[in-house]
Amino acid sequence: MRERYLGRKKGAVSQLLARLKEFAPADKPRAGQAVNGLKAFIEASLAAALERRAGDAGGSASAWRDHSLPPSELPVGRLHLIADIQRRIEDIFLQLGYEIAVGPEIELEDYNFTKLNIPEHHPARDEQDTFFLEGHDDRVLRTHTSPMQVRYMLEHKPPLKIISPGKAFRKDDPDATHSPCFHQVEGLLVERGIRFSHLKGTLEAFCRSFFGPDIVLRFRPGYFPFTEPSAEVDISCFMCRSGQGAIQAGDCRVCKGSGWLEILGSGMVHPRVLGNCGIDPEVYSGFAFGLGIERVAMIKYGVPDLRLLYENDLRLLGQFG
Ligand code: DAH
């Protein structure tokens, strides 16, 4: 614009000024005044336009900006490692057609223990392990996410296919691997004709998606009151890969040389649990599993002490998410 109107030779104003000599002497002063007035107007307008533009860009008129430069880094937050892992797990199961169901952290003792076939005098119910609520004898801070299985089965008819992430609580003294509050993801699938092979296939698909495509799973017999049979599941160490015979475990810092990492508990839903929740075990069967998010965080990212995850130290948290 400046060039077009005020350019030295071709600018419109300059050309008008050059033609002033064509005016009769008597008219010249007035013509000159008019053209100079026009020039002052255009200069003022251009200056004002520049000012506006600088204002839009948040700078001053004199600070020219190169709008093609990459932006400076904005101080954006990120998800906490636990939230991040939880969402990744959710994403994988959503892709497998699961729904996400979230249950309460204050849970009925009946759902947390009894309906899950954990008998009245089971040591897990001990005051030393469970937070009971004063004035509410029938309620506890849930000690695992498994009671959500009960809630969901009581309220829905099969087929059921859910995961349930959330917090769980136990009266544990904090140390490198324990925290009174921790996170789990529960899984439950109930339908006609569900077999152990479905559980294996599902956990294999999940672990390969989460830890890596050549992860191998190992099912060891285990015991949980709410599943029969029950299995503890290990994955081959994704760090040294020795579980697959690829290389020697040696002193692998992740699996401590064993080649395997224990990552979850699982099994076929106990017929008594199905019955307790109004589902006919003669017609339906199902599998369930539960995994600890902190444990997954520690093995996947080599976090040496669980307490680090709760200390809000940005030097650690800033590396993830
Ligand atoms: N609730 C168990 C715990 O907290 C984990 C678990 C094991 C959940 C086996 C399950 C399962 O659903 O089938 O230790």
Side-chain angles (χ1 to χ4, degrees):
M1 294 281 271
R2 177 176 295 282
E3 202 49 38
R4 181 147 135 212
Y5 292 107
L6 305 177
R8 279 202 176 207
K9 281 197 175 143
K10 297 241 168 98
V13 173
S14 312
Q15 289 190 358
L16 283 177
L17 282 170
R19 289 180 59 192
L20 277 182
K21 56 181 183 299
E22 295 170 21
F23 283 90
D27 297 330
K28 254 189 204 160
R30 213 152 48 86
Q33 253 175 17
V35 177
N36 278 319
L38 175 64
K39 186 177 172 189
F41 169 75
I42 292 171
E43 272 170 348
S45 303
L46 283 172
L50 267 183
E51 193 73 43
R52 269 200 309 280
R53 198 173 82 163
D56 290 345
S60 74
S62 55
W64 268 87
R65 277 159 189 258
D66 181 345
H67 293 278
S68 66
L69 286 175
S72 51
E73 215 170 294
L74 291 171
V76 288
R78 8 180 137 200
L79 289 176
H80 187 276
L81 184 53
I82 301 224
D84 181 52
I85 290 180
Q86 181 180 319
R87 289 185 199 199
R88 286 180 204 221
I89 295 171
E90 288 173 5
D91 282 347
I92 294 170
F93 280 102
L94 285 171
Q95 283 179 42
L96 294 173
Y98 283 69
E99 283 182 53
I100 297 173
V102 175
E105 291 163 8
I106 295 175
E107 185 54 278
L108 292 170
E109 191 182 355
D110 182 43
Y111 291 5
N112 194 83
F113 295 120
T114 315
K115 287 215 168 29
L116 285 171
N117 197 37
I118 302 175
E120 200 72 47
H121 298 290
H122 194 280
R125 293 195 180 213
D126 204 312
E127 296 231 13
Q128 312 208 322
D129 292 324
T130 305
F131 289 106
F132 287 86
L133 284 143
E134 246 169 35
H136 297 277
D137 304 350
D138 59 338
R139 273 156 220 262
V140 298
L141 291 187
R142 64 179 177 189
T143 60
H144 49 178
T145 45
S146 303
M148 189 51 199
Q149 291 187 33
V150 175
R151 276 181 185 274
Y152 204 80
M153 286 191 275
L154 287 172
E155 283 168 18
H156 298 82
K157 294 208 176 326
L160 309 176
K161 205 174 168 189
I162 58 159
I163 57 163
S164 186
K167 289 186 169 68
F169 307 84
R170 280 179 211 175
K171 271 192 189 171
D172 281 327
D173 287 329
D175 64 21
T177 54
H178 293 85
S179 161
C181 170
F182 54 100
H183 298 75
Q184 292 187 327
V185 177
E186 191 79 15
L188 173 71
L189 187 147
V190 180
E191 172 57 307
R192 286 169 208 264
I194 296 301
R195 300 183 300 272
F196 198 84
S197 52
H198 294 122
L199 172 64
K200 285 184 79 174
T202 301
L203 293 179
E204 209 163 79
F206 163 70
C207 289
R208 290 191 174 154
S209 178
F210 190 85
F211 291 103
D214 20 87
I215 290 299
V216 176
L217 269 62
R218 180 170 80 172
F219 286 74
R220 281 180 293 113
Y223 172 73
F224 300 102
F226 31 91
T227 43
E228 181 61 36
S230 305
E232 315 248 15
V233 180
D234 304 334
I235 57 168
S236 54
C237 180
F238 53 85
M239 194 58 98
C240 67
R241 295 161 162 243
S242 67
Q244 302 157 54
I247 56 168
Q248 279 303 305
D251 46 12
C252 174
R253 136 185 91 68
V254 175
C255 67
K256 310 273 187 307
S258 76
W260 296 96
L261 299 160
E262 183 182 331
I263 65 146
L264 49 79
S266 66
M268 303 307 290
V269 181
H270 197 295
R272 215 174 287 149
V273 173
L274 291 173
N276 289 344
C277 301
I279 293 177
D280 185 350
E282 296 295 327
V283 179
Y284 294 103
S285 54
F287 63 71
F289 55 88
L291 100 180
I293 299 185
E294 281 82 354
R295 175 150 181 81
V296 169
M298 290 176 80
I299 59 183
K300 182 156 166 126
Y301 296 107
V303 180
D305 188 318
L306 186 152
R307 288 167 291 191
L308 290 168
L309 297 173
Y310 299 113
E311 283 173 356
N312 287 334
D313 186 337
L314 292 177
R315 287 172 304 177
L316 176 98
L317 300 179
Q319 298 174 45
F320 306 107

